[in-house]
Amino acid sequence: MVPGKQVAVEVKSARSMERDLRRGIFQCVKYRSVLNAQALLEFKTSLPAIRARLVSEKPLPPELLRLAKTLEVETQVIKPLK
C-alpha cells in the first residue's frame, strides 16, 4: 500500500438497476473504510488520502449523484462494453 495512492472502486454494468447503483455507492464507502483501517494499522500516524469511485456504464439519476457527493464518492460513466 502506497500512501495517497489508493482508490476504492465499485463497477456497475448498464444492466444495473437503480437499487444496485445505490448499493454500489455504499460499497465504495465500505471499501474506503476498510482501506483506511488497514492504513491506520500499517502507517500508525497518518492516514493516506483514500478515494472511492463508482464506475457505471450508465449515468446515475440526480438523487444518486447527490448521495454520492454527500458521501464523497466520485462517480464516472464509461462507455458500455459490447
Side-chain angles (χ1 to χ4, degrees), residues 7 28 32 51-55 68-69 72-76:
V7 179
C28 288
R32 184 177 56 213
R51 299 172 15 232
R53 177 178 292 173
L54 176 66
V55 177
K69 184 175 181 176
E72 299 179 356
V73 172
E74 300 167 10
T75 59
Q76 179 181 354

Side-chain angles (χ1 to χ4, degrees), residues 22-67:
R22 177 182 300 275
R23 190 177 321 120
I25 292 169
F26 286 103
Q27 285 292 96
C28 288
V29 172
K30 180 176 81 172
Y31 299 154
R32 184 177 56 213
S33 294
V34 169
L35 289 174
N36 270 316
Q38 289 175 334
L40 181 60
L41 287 175
E42 187 172 335
F43 301 114
K44 299 201 184 350
T45 57
S46 64
L47 295 176
I50 298 173
R51 299 172 15 232
R53 177 178 292 173
L54 176 66
V55 177
S56 175
E57 291 183 325
K58 67 181 188 181
L60 274 66
E63 173 192 339
L64 294 184
L65 286 172
R66 285 190 296 275
L67 176 63

